[in-house]
Amino acid sequence: MDETVRSGRAPKPVGAYPHARRVGGLLFLSGIGPRIPGSNEIPGNVYGPDGARTGYDIGQQCHQVFANIRTILEDAGSSWDKMVDVTVFLTDMRADFPTFNRIYAEYFTTNQPARTTVEVGALPTAIAIELKVIATID
């Protein structure tokens, strides 16, 4: 089996790609950020009068990205406890990693997938975190 997955409950992708692909017994999620479904709003972002982002709340973005991941997993026929690998992209490792790591531990109390966390110079929109996930699927 090889098919694309598009969730009607998750934020729309910002490019020409699906939310995920099923290949055999694996589900590969595209990079998923913390945008709120049904809008392009990014929780915790603060903007100046000129529209430029002046700050953000990494905690709010963590909770939203985890909610988005859960939605896509469920809509694809998988679940939170079937994640086997998570790659995390942060735009400011020094400032955001402690908060991210604490919140991550709250969500992954029983299932603990392999994880890699890297700092990147920027992400495609004004987000501070993005996750790439591999999960199993029946």
Side-chain angles (χ1 to χ4, degrees):
M1 176 191 309
D2 181 350
E3 63 183 84
T4 59
V5 174
R6 298 182 198 288
S7 169
R9 299 185 307 137
K12 292 181 181 177
V14 297
Y17 55 86
H19 288 111
R21 296 241 357 216
R22 287 185 204 140
V23 180
L26 294 176
L27 181 67
F28 298 86
L29 273 65
S30 297
I32 305 298
R35 288 180 300 112
I36 296 174
S39 76
N40 281 323
E41 184 181 345
I42 301 165
N45 274 4
V46 178
Y47 299 94
D50 63 354
R53 186 180 76 178
T54 58
Y56 62 91
D57 182 321
I58 190 62
Q60 288 184 36
Q61 291 196 21
C62 288
H63 290 295
Q64 187 62 51
V65 77
F66 292 152
N68 292 344
I69 295 289
R70 185 181 303 274
T71 296
I72 294 166
L73 289 168
E74 290 171 357
D75 287 357
S78 188
S79 62
W80 190 262
D81 62 326
K82 293 184 177 182
M83 280 189 272
V84 295
D85 188 67
V86 177
T87 303
V88 181
F89 302 95
L90 296 174
T91 58
D92 189 339
M93 185 77 73
R94 180 171 289 172
D96 297 339
F97 184 79
T99 300
F100 159 74
N101 205 39
R102 178 182 51 77
I103 293 170
Y104 184 94
E106 294 171 9
Y107 282 81
F108 292 91
T109 57
T110 55
N111 179 37
Q112 295 187 328
R115 185 182 95 187
T116 302
T117 306
V118 297
E119 181 178 78
V120 295
L123 290 163
T125 60
I127 59 177
I129 183 171
E130 183 174 283
L131 268 64
K132 176 109 177 81
V133 171
I134 300 171
T136 60
I137 191 166
D138 297 330

mmCIF file of all heavy atoms in Angstrom, residues 31-67:
data_model
loop_
_atom_site.group_PDB
_atom_site.id
_atom_site.type_symbol
_atom_site.label_atom_id
_atom_site.label_comp_id
_atom_site.label_asym_id
_atom_site.label_seq_id
_atom_site.Cartn_x
_atom_site.Cartn_y
_atom_site.Cartn_z
ATOM 1 N N GLY A 31 6.591 17.569 7.473
ATOM 2 C CA GLY A 31 6.870 18.501 8.560
ATOM 3 C C GLY A 31 5.577 19.193 8.976
ATOM 4 O O GLY A 31 4.890 19.771 8.137
ATOM 5 N N ILE A 32 5.252 19.120 10.255
ATOM 6 C CA ILE A 32 3.999 19.677 10.765
ATOM 7 C C ILE A 32 4.329 20.778 11.777
ATOM 8 O O ILE A 32 5.116 20.572 12.692
ATOM 9 C CB ILE A 32 3.138 18.589 11.459
ATOM 10 C CG1 ILE A 32 2.884 17.407 10.518
ATOM 11 C CG2 ILE A 32 1.839 19.189 11.993
ATOM 12 C CD1 ILE A 32 2.122 17.728 9.255
ATOM 13 N N GLY A 33 3.712 21.928 11.570
ATOM 14 C CA GLY A 33 3.938 23.058 12.464
ATOM 15 C C GLY A 33 2.746 23.323 13.361
ATOM 16 O O GLY A 33 1.774 22.562 13.370
ATOM 17 N N PRO A 34 2.789 24.438 14.093
ATOM 18 C CA PRO A 34 1.764 24.727 15.092
ATOM 19 C C PRO A 34 0.626 25.638 14.630
ATOM 20 O O PRO A 34 -0.066 26.228 15.457
ATOM 21 C CB PRO A 34 2.572 25.406 16.200
ATOM 22 C CG PRO A 34 3.619 26.152 15.454
ATOM 23 C CD PRO A 34 3.979 25.257 14.294
ATOM 24 N N ARG A 35 0.410 25.771 13.322
ATOM 25 C CA ARG A 35 -0.701 26.627 12.896
ATOM 26 C C ARG A 35 -2.034 26.041 13.368
ATOM 27 O O ARG A 35 -2.189 24.828 13.454
ATOM 28 C CB ARG A 35 -0.704 26.802 11.376
ATOM 29 C CG ARG A 35 0.436 27.685 10.900
ATOM 30 C CD ARG A 35 0.483 27.907 9.403
ATOM 31 N NE ARG A 35 0.631 26.643 8.685
ATOM 32 C CZ ARG A 35 -0.319 26.115 7.911
ATOM 33 N NH1 ARG A 35 -1.467 26.726 7.723
ATOM 34 N NH2 ARG A 35 -0.108 24.975 7.301
ATOM 35 N N ILE A 36 -2.969 26.903 13.648
ATOM 36 C CA ILE A 36 -4.288 26.482 14.116
ATOM 37 C C ILE A 36 -5.119 26.042 12.913
ATOM 38 O O ILE A 36 -5.198 26.772 11.915
ATOM 39 C CB ILE A 36 -4.977 27.621 14.895
ATOM 40 C CG1 ILE A 36 -4.160 27.928 16.157
ATOM 41 C CG2 ILE A 36 -6.418 27.262 15.231
ATOM 42 C CD1 ILE A 36 -4.638 29.114 16.937
ATOM 43 N N PRO A 37 -5.743 24.840 12.987
ATOM 44 C CA PRO A 37 -6.573 24.379 11.868
ATOM 45 C C PRO A 37 -7.665 25.387 11.519
ATOM 46 O O PRO A 37 -8.252 26.017 12.398
ATOM 47 C CB PRO A 37 -7.187 23.076 12.401
ATOM 48 C CG PRO A 37 -6.231 22.611 13.448
ATOM 49 C CD PRO A 37 -5.692 23.865 14.077
ATOM 50 N N GLY A 38 -7.897 25.547 10.223
ATOM 51 C CA GLY A 38 -8.931 26.467 9.758
ATOM 52 C C GLY A 38 -8.466 27.901 9.622
ATOM 53 O O GLY A 38 -9.232 28.763 9.206
ATOM 54 N N SER A 39 -7.222 28.163 9.974
ATOM 55 C CA SER A 39 -6.680 29.523 9.847
ATOM 56 C C SER A 39 -5.175 29.415 9.638
ATOM 57 O O SER A 39 -4.610 28.337 9.674
ATOM 58 C CB SER A 39 -6.968 30.342 11.106
ATOM 59 O OG SER A 39 -6.107 29.968 12.169
ATOM 60 N N ASN A 40 -4.559 30.531 9.446
ATOM 61 C CA ASN A 40 -3.094 30.559 9.392
ATOM 62 C C ASN A 40 -2.519 31.121 10.681
ATOM 63 O O ASN A 40 -1.343 31.447 10.755
ATOM 64 C CB ASN A 40 -2.610 31.389 8.194
ATOM 65 C CG ASN A 40 -2.709 30.604 6.914
ATOM 66 O OD1 ASN A 40 -2.459 29.395 6.890
ATOM 67 N ND2 ASN A 40 -3.080 31.266 5.834
ATOM 68 N N GLU A 41 -3.355 31.249 11.711
ATOM 69 C CA GLU A 41 -2.913 31.804 12.983
ATOM 70 C C GLU A 41 -1.895 30.880 13.638
ATOM 71 O O GLU A 41 -2.041 29.657 13.641
ATOM 72 C CB GLU A 41 -4.102 31.992 13.922
ATOM 73 C CG GLU A 41 -3.718 32.651 15.220
ATOM 74 C CD GLU A 41 -4.910 32.820 16.157
ATOM 75 O OE1 GLU A 41 -6.052 32.683 15.707
ATOM 76 O OE2 GLU A 41 -4.654 33.068 17.347
ATOM 77 N N ILE A 42 -0.862 31.489 14.195
ATOM 78 C CA ILE A 42 0.185 30.748 14.904
ATOM 79 C C ILE A 42 0.092 31.134 16.378
ATOM 80 O O ILE A 42 0.303 32.297 16.733
ATOM 81 C CB ILE A 42 1.572 31.062 14.327
ATOM 82 C CG1 ILE A 42 1.608 30.686 12.847
ATOM 83 C CG2 ILE A 42 2.653 30.328 15.114
ATOM 84 C CD1 ILE A 42 2.779 31.259 12.090
ATOM 85 N N PRO A 43 -0.264 30.166 17.234
ATOM 86 C CA PRO A 43 -0.460 30.505 18.648
ATOM 87 C C PRO A 43 0.821 31.023 19.294
ATOM 88 O O PRO A 43 1.907 30.525 19.032
ATOM 89 C CB PRO A 43 -0.897 29.183 19.273
ATOM 90 C CG PRO A 43 -0.446 28.129 18.337
ATOM 91 C CD PRO A 43 -0.405 28.741 16.973
ATOM 92 N N GLY A 44 0.648 32.034 20.116
ATOM 93 C CA GLY A 44 1.769 32.566 20.873
ATOM 94 C C GLY A 44 2.606 33.597 20.143
ATOM 95 O O GLY A 44 3.476 34.214 20.754
ATOM 96 N N ASN A 45 2.367 33.801 18.841
ATOM 97 C CA ASN A 45 3.147 34.810 18.124
ATOM 98 C C ASN A 45 2.677 36.204 18.497
ATOM 99 O O ASN A 45 1.484 36.449 18.674
ATOM 100 C CB ASN A 45 3.038 34.627 16.613
ATOM 101 C CG ASN A 45 4.040 33.635 16.072
ATOM 102 O OD1 ASN A 45 4.789 33.016 16.836
ATOM 103 N ND2 ASN A 45 4.070 33.461 14.768
ATOM 104 N N VAL A 46 3.640 37.128 18.604
ATOM 105 C CA VAL A 46 3.368 38.531 18.873
ATOM 106 C C VAL A 46 3.926 39.317 17.691
ATOM 107 O O VAL A 46 5.060 39.070 17.256
ATOM 108 C CB VAL A 46 4.048 38.987 20.191
ATOM 109 C CG1 VAL A 46 3.797 40.463 20.447
ATOM 110 C CG2 VAL A 46 3.586 38.123 21.357
ATOM 111 N N TYR A 47 3.122 40.243 17.170
ATOM 112 C CA TYR A 47 3.524 41.012 15.997
ATOM 113 C C TYR A 47 3.561 42.498 16.319
ATOM 114 O O TYR A 47 2.732 42.998 17.083
ATOM 115 C CB TYR A 47 2.552 40.765 14.837
ATOM 116 C CG TYR A 47 2.520 39.318 14.408
ATOM 117 C CD1 TYR A 47 1.575 38.444 14.916
ATOM 118 C CD2 TYR A 47 3.454 38.826 13.509
ATOM 119 C CE1 TYR A 47 1.553 37.109 14.534
ATOM 120 C CE2 TYR A 47 3.440 37.491 13.118
ATOM 121 C CZ TYR A 47 2.487 36.641 13.635
ATOM 122 O OH TYR A 47 2.467 35.321 13.265
ATOM 123 N N GLY A 48 4.512 43.190 15.712
ATOM 124 C CA GLY A 48 4.615 44.639 15.855
ATOM 125 C C GLY A 48 3.686 45.344 14.889
ATOM 126 O O GLY A 48 3.026 44.705 14.063
ATOM 127 N N PRO A 49 3.663 46.665 14.961
ATOM 128 C CA PRO A 49 2.776 47.455 14.099
ATOM 129 C C PRO A 49 3.042 47.239 12.607
ATOM 130 O O PRO A 49 2.140 47.372 11.792
ATOM 131 C CB PRO A 49 3.060 48.905 14.483
ATOM 132 C CG PRO A 49 3.808 48.851 15.763
ATOM 133 C CD PRO A 49 4.410 47.497 15.886
ATOM 134 N N ASP A 50 4.273 46.875 12.277
ATOM 135 C CA ASP A 50 4.615 46.654 10.865
ATOM 136 C C ASP A 50 4.298 45.234 10.395
ATOM 137 O O ASP A 50 4.550 44.872 9.247
ATOM 138 C CB ASP A 50 6.092 46.964 10.623
ATOM 139 C CG ASP A 50 7.029 46.047 11.407
ATOM 140 O OD1 ASP A 50 6.540 45.238 12.229
ATOM 141 O OD2 ASP A 50 8.252 46.143 11.193
ATOM 142 N N GLY A 51 3.751 44.408 11.292
ATOM 143 C CA GLY A 51 3.402 43.037 10.923
ATOM 144 C C GLY A 51 4.513 42.026 11.124
ATOM 145 O O GLY A 51 4.313 40.832 10.938
ATOM 146 N N ALA A 52 5.698 42.498 11.511
ATOM 147 C CA ALA A 52 6.819 41.585 11.744
ATOM 148 C C ALA A 52 6.665 40.920 13.114
ATOM 149 O O ALA A 52 6.222 41.556 14.078
ATOM 150 C CB ALA A 52 8.144 42.340 11.685
ATOM 151 N N ARG A 53 7.020 39.648 13.194
ATOM 152 C CA ARG A 53 6.953 38.942 14.468
ATOM 153 C C ARG A 53 7.983 39.522 15.431
ATOM 154 O O ARG A 53 9.152 39.648 15.094
ATOM 155 C CB ARG A 53 7.197 37.444 14.271
ATOM 156 C CG ARG A 53 6.990 36.650 15.563
ATOM 157 C CD ARG A 53 7.217 35.190 15.373
ATOM 158 N NE ARG A 53 8.655 34.951 15.302
ATOM 159 C CZ ARG A 53 9.215 33.766 15.183
ATOM 160 N NH1 ARG A 53 8.474 32.690 15.078
ATOM 161 N NH2 ARG A 53 10.526 33.627 15.127
ATOM 162 N N THR A 54 7.553 39.866 16.622
ATOM 163 C CA THR A 54 8.455 40.433 17.623
ATOM 164 C C THR A 54 8.700 39.475 18.782
ATOM 165 O O THR A 54 9.565 39.729 19.614
ATOM 166 C CB THR A 54 7.895 41.759 18.184
ATOM 167 O OG1 THR A 54 6.601 41.511 18.763
ATOM 168 C CG2 THR A 54 7.784 42.808 17.083
ATOM 169 N N GLY A 55 7.934 38.400 18.846
ATOM 170 C CA GLY A 55 8.105 37.424 19.907
ATOM 171 C C GLY A 55 7.176 36.244 19.693
ATOM 172 O O GLY A 55 6.337 36.257 18.793
ATOM 173 N N TYR A 56 7.355 35.231 20.530
ATOM 174 C CA TYR A 56 6.503 34.050 20.447
ATOM 175 C C TYR A 56 6.583 33.294 21.756
ATOM 176 O O TYR A 56 7.497 33.490 22.546
ATOM 177 C CB TYR A 56 6.912 33.141 19.278
ATOM 178 C CG TYR A 56 8.318 32.588 19.386
ATOM 179 C CD1 TYR A 56 8.567 31.362 20.004
ATOM 180 C CD2 TYR A 56 9.406 33.296 18.899
ATOM 181 C CE1 TYR A 56 9.854 30.854 20.121
ATOM 182 C CE2 TYR A 56 10.695 32.803 19.005
ATOM 183 C CZ TYR A 56 10.920 31.587 19.618
ATOM 184 O OH TYR A 56 12.190 31.090 19.737
ATOM 185 N N ASP A 57 5.601 32.434 21.957
ATOM 186 C CA ASP A 57 5.543 31.587 23.144
ATOM 187 C C ASP A 57 5.762 30.149 22.682
ATOM 188 O O ASP A 57 4.861 29.551 22.074
ATOM 189 C CB ASP A 57 4.180 31.754 23.819
ATOM 190 C CG ASP A 57 4.044 30.938 25.092
ATOM 191 O OD1 ASP A 57 4.539 29.784 25.136
ATOM 192 O OD2 ASP A 57 3.416 31.441 26.041
ATOM 193 N N ILE A 58 6.931 29.602 22.930
ATOM 194 C CA ILE A 58 7.254 28.251 22.460
ATOM 195 C C ILE A 58 6.336 27.219 23.110
ATOM 196 O O ILE A 58 5.983 26.216 22.478
ATOM 197 C CB ILE A 58 8.747 27.895 22.672
ATOM 198 C CG1 ILE A 58 9.113 26.587 21.950
ATOM 199 C CG2 ILE A 58 9.083 27.802 24.144
ATOM 200 C CD1 ILE A 58 8.961 26.617 20.452
ATOM 201 N N GLY A 59 5.902 27.448 24.330
ATOM 202 C CA GLY A 59 5.000 26.513 24.995
ATOM 203 C C GLY A 59 3.687 26.372 24.243
ATOM 204 O O GLY A 59 3.207 25.261 23.999
ATOM 205 N N GLN A 60 3.080 27.489 23.858
ATOM 206 C CA GLN A 60 1.829 27.438 23.096
ATOM 207 C C GLN A 60 2.034 26.736 21.761
ATOM 208 O O GLN A 60 1.187 25.954 21.321
ATOM 209 C CB GLN A 60 1.291 28.851 22.868
ATOM 210 C CG GLN A 60 0.735 29.499 24.106
ATOM 211 C CD GLN A 60 0.134 30.856 23.794
ATOM 212 O OE1 GLN A 60 -0.452 31.060 22.737
ATOM 213 N NE2 GLN A 60 0.283 31.793 24.718
ATOM 214 N N GLN A 61 3.166 26.992 21.127
ATOM 215 C CA GLN A 61 3.430 26.353 19.838
ATOM 216 C C GLN A 61 3.649 24.848 20.004
ATOM 217 O O GLN A 61 3.212 24.061 19.172
ATOM 218 C CB GLN A 61 4.598 27.029 19.130
ATOM 219 C CG GLN A 61 4.238 28.424 18.669
ATOM 220 C CD GLN A 61 5.188 28.995 17.641
ATOM 221 O OE1 GLN A 61 5.909 28.283 16.959
ATOM 222 N NE2 GLN A 61 5.189 30.319 17.535
ATOM 223 N N CYS A 62 4.294 24.434 21.088
ATOM 224 C CA CYS A 62 4.489 22.999 21.338
ATOM 225 C C CYS A 62 3.146 22.288 21.483
ATOM 226 O O CYS A 62 2.911 21.256 20.845
ATOM 227 C CB CYS A 62 5.319 22.780 22.601
ATOM 228 S SG CYS A 62 7.052 23.192 22.452
ATOM 229 N N HIS A 63 2.268 22.833 22.308
ATOM 230 C CA HIS A 63 0.970 22.194 22.527
ATOM 231 C C HIS A 63 0.187 22.090 21.218
ATOM 232 O O HIS A 63 -0.430 21.058 20.941
ATOM 233 C CB HIS A 63 0.163 22.960 23.576
ATOM 234 C CG HIS A 63 0.712 22.834 24.965
ATOM 235 N ND1 HIS A 63 0.741 21.636 25.651
ATOM 236 C CD2 HIS A 63 1.261 23.758 25.790
ATOM 237 C CE1 HIS A 63 1.283 21.826 26.845
ATOM 238 N NE2 HIS A 63 1.613 23.104 26.948
ATOM 239 N N GLN A 64 0.242 23.135 20.387
ATOM 240 C CA GLN A 64 -0.515 23.106 19.134
ATOM 241 C C GLN A 64 0.082 22.134 18.119
ATOM 242 O O GLN A 64 -0.649 21.420 17.439
ATOM 243 C CB GLN A 64 -0.611 24.509 18.522
ATOM 244 C CG GLN A 64 -1.520 24.570 17.310
ATOM 245 C CD GLN A 64 -2.950 24.198 17.627
ATOM 246 O OE1 GLN A 64 -3.538 24.740 18.571
ATOM 247 N NE2 GLN A 64 -3.530 23.265 16.879
ATOM 248 N N VAL A 65 1.395 22.074 18.039
ATOM 249 C CA VAL A 65 1.994 21.142 17.077
ATOM 250 C C VAL A 65 1.695 19.703 17.494
ATOM 251 O O VAL A 65 1.411 18.850 16.646
ATOM 252 C CB VAL A 65 3.504 21.396 16.873
ATOM 253 C CG1 VAL A 65 4.352 20.872 17.999
ATOM 254 C CG2 VAL A 65 3.987 20.794 15.561
ATOM 255 N N PHE A 66 1.692 19.421 18.784
ATOM 256 C CA PHE A 66 1.352 18.067 19.238
ATOM 257 C C PHE A 66 -0.110 17.754 18.918
ATOM 258 O O PHE A 66 -0.439 16.636 18.527
ATOM 259 C CB PHE A 66 1.639 17.891 20.726
ATOM 260 C CG PHE A 66 3.105 17.921 21.070
ATOM 261 C CD1 PHE A 66 3.524 18.349 22.316
ATOM 262 C CD2 PHE A 66 4.075 17.533 20.160
ATOM 263 C CE1 PHE A 66 4.880 18.373 22.652
ATOM 264 C CE2 PHE A 66 5.423 17.554 20.481
ATOM 265 C CZ PHE A 66 5.829 17.976 21.728
ATOM 266 N N ALA A 67 -1.010 18.722 19.079
ATOM 267 C CA ALA A 67 -2.418 18.516 18.730
ATOM 268 C C ALA A 67 -2.557 18.238 17.231
ATOM 269 O O ALA A 67 -3.323 17.356 16.817
ATOM 270 C CB ALA A 67 -3.251 19.727 19.131
#
